[in-house]
Amino acid sequence: MTYRADTARYDTMQYRHSGRSGLQLPVVSLGLWQNFGGTRDYPSAMEILGHAFDAGVTHFDLANNYGPPAGSAEELFGQVMARDFRPYRDELIISTKAGYNMWPGPYGEFGSRKYLLSSLDQSLGRMGLDYVDIFYSHRFDPNTPLEETMGALAHAVRVGKALYVGISSYPEAQTREAYRILKEMGVQTTIHQPSYSVLNRWIENDHTIDACGELGIGMIAFSPLAQGVLSGKYNNGQKEGTRGENPNGSLRASHIEPRVLEAVDKLGEIAKARGQSLVQLALSWVLRRPEMTSALIGVRNLDQLKDNLGVLNNLALSAEEIAAIDAATAGGQMELHPSPKGWLR
């Protein structure tokens, strides 16, 4: 059966400009980081992606290494594009990234021109696209001149393989320098993608969010639910079928320490008083900042997607509620910060 998008798909979603650019993103975007790899079949993928687009989610976020295995999320999305989404290409914002390890040898990761542009070509091939809407440098590379990394992004724009470019997980100083270099090349730094949640506030602590606001760079938060911790499922001891099941995965034991889970319990009471799920409260909090263009969600099933989209019913937070949230989470911060080798605590 051929997919046909809901004619009412733009009736309820809210959109925000990415910084001072003309690009608008839905306040809720869908990422294919860990849930659309080799074990995901086409019908279940299309159920989620189709429902998202029917709800006005126009932005789908990928990277070369998303899976597992690496590359498989782009391959699956390429099938969706070919079979169902092709008529809607001009309504979609599709992003990908390069920075993490993809192939053996010295040219398979980080920020060289060789790696970034080779990776972009591979990503386009996997997705069956002529261009992506956003191409990111996935992480800062301290061993490659930033002029080279940003020059590769600028080249992708000039040759039409990317409409916009961005950076991900860059601290404040590197964010400012990347902006300066791209501006000298006549290219806008349209967006920054950092991790950000009520339990992970590194972009506030190192002033990256303030720099983006000052420079007119939009922001899209990944892990706004702190790897699922802010769904409350770990408070019930649930690990089976979650990221907590894999000791070598992206969720670490320190993320579900008793002090963190205690903060989650307190947030649950605030959410209940607002008539929201805990997930919806967490997304409302991320989106409260004017610098934040969108919250990037990851879901395993349709019910989770619907819960996330329910945030649209109550985005506003009062000053009193924000103060209560700050008090509830004061002792439960994950204290993360980015480094070229990954996330440190």
Side-chain angles (χ1 to χ4, degrees):
M1 183 176 177
T2 302
Y3 167 75
R4 291 188 179 181
D6 193 326
T7 56
R9 58 188 174 277
Y10 295 113
D11 289 357
T12 58
M13 180 57 69
Q14 298 178 35
Y15 300 86
R16 296 179 180 177
H17 281 274
S18 184
R20 289 195 285 270
S21 76
L23 178 64
Q24 297 184 59
L25 298 180
V27 294
V28 176
S29 298
L30 183 60
L32 280 67
W33 178 15
Q34 299 188 71
N35 297 310
F36 288 83
T39 59
R40 171 74 68 177
D41 62 27
Y42 190 92
S44 67
M46 191 57 211
E47 179 184 48
I48 294 170
L49 296 171
H51 185 91
F53 186 50
D54 286 343
V57 177
T58 54
H59 178 29
F60 298 94
D61 179 77
L62 299 103
N64 57 359
N65 64 329
Y66 286 1
S72 59
E74 289 182 329
E75 290 172 353
L76 179 57
F77 191 76
Q79 294 177 39
V80 172
M81 282 301 307
R83 292 171 58 174
D84 289 298
F85 274 3
R86 184 65 62 184
Y88 308 101
R89 175 64 184 98
D90 292 339
E91 297 182 45
L92 301 176
I93 301 297
I94 301 167
S95 61
T96 196
K97 314 175 195 74
Y100 289 93
N101 185 267
M102 278 298 291
W103 60 85
Y107 318 120
E109 64 178 329
F110 279 113
S112 71
R113 180 183 179 91
K114 167 71 173 176
Y115 167 66
L116 289 175
L117 296 178
S118 297
S119 178
L120 176 56
D121 283 342
Q122 292 181 22
S123 290
L124 293 174
R126 283 190 288 266
M127 291 188 285
L129 299 175
D130 296 324
Y131 70 93
V132 290
D133 298 275
I134 305 170
F135 182 47
Y136 289 93
S137 167
H138 208 165
R139 59 173 168 172
F140 171 67
D141 179 359
N143 297 312
T144 297
L146 200 52
E147 288 82 0
E148 179 176 341
T149 301
M150 295 303 107
L153 297 186
H155 178 80
V157 172
R158 292 192 186 108
V159 300
K161 293 182 179 180
L163 302 187
Y164 302 92
V165 293
I167 54 179
S168 180
S169 300
Y170 275 48
E172 182 200 9
Q174 287 76 25
T175 295
R176 290 184 178 277
E177 185 67 359
Y179 171 88
R180 182 193 66 78
I181 293 167
L182 280 173
K183 185 177 181 181
E184 288 181 355
M185 295 177 176
V187 175
Q188 185 174 15
T189 309
T190 301
I191 195 163
H192 187 309
Q193 185 177 134
S195 67
Y196 183 50
S197 76
V198 67
L199 299 177
N200 171 20
R201 307 189 184 193
W202 76 267
I203 59 171
E204 294 182 3
N205 298 333
D206 93 331
H207 304 293
T208 296
I209 193 168
D210 300 315
C212 287
E214 173 193 332
L215 299 173
I217 303 171
M219 303 195 83
I220 179 168
F222 77 84
S223 295
L225 303 182
Q227 299 285 296
V229 173
L230 287 165
S231 70
K233 60 189 174 187
Y234 297 108
N235 291 57
N236 302 322
Q238 179 185 344
K239 283 192 176 182
E240 186 177 354
T242 72
R243 296 172 189 179
E245 193 175 25
N246 179 7
N248 300 313
S250 56
L251 183 78
R252 303 174 186 177
S254 61
H255 297 171
I256 48 177
E257 292 176 349
R259 63 179 184 83
V260 175
L261 298 184
E262 182 181 350
V264 173
D265 278 334
K266 293 176 182 177
L267 289 173
E269 293 301 314
I270 297 172
K272 186 177 180 181
R274 281 170 51 83
Q276 279 186 313
S277 70
L278 179 56
V279 162
Q280 292 162 8
L281 175 68
L283 294 175
S284 298
W285 185 89
V286 164
L287 291 165
R288 84 201 186 286
R289 293 281 304 233
E291 301 92 342
M292 199 58 60
T293 309
S294 183
L296 185 58
I297 63 168
V299 300
R300 285 184 292 108
N301 54 55
L302 192 57
D303 287 340
Q304 289 181 351
L305 175 61
K306 291 178 179 178
D307 186 15
N308 280 261
L309 291 173
V311 71
L312 295 167
N313 298 322
N314 190 6
L315 274 170
L317 286 167
S318 68
E320 292 76 17
E321 287 172 324
I322 292 173
I325 290 168
D326 288 343
T329 58
Q333 291 297 309
M334 292 182 173
E335 299 171 358
L336 296 168
H337 63 275
S339 80
K341 293 183 178 180
W343 289 91
L344 302 179
R345 180 186 182 279

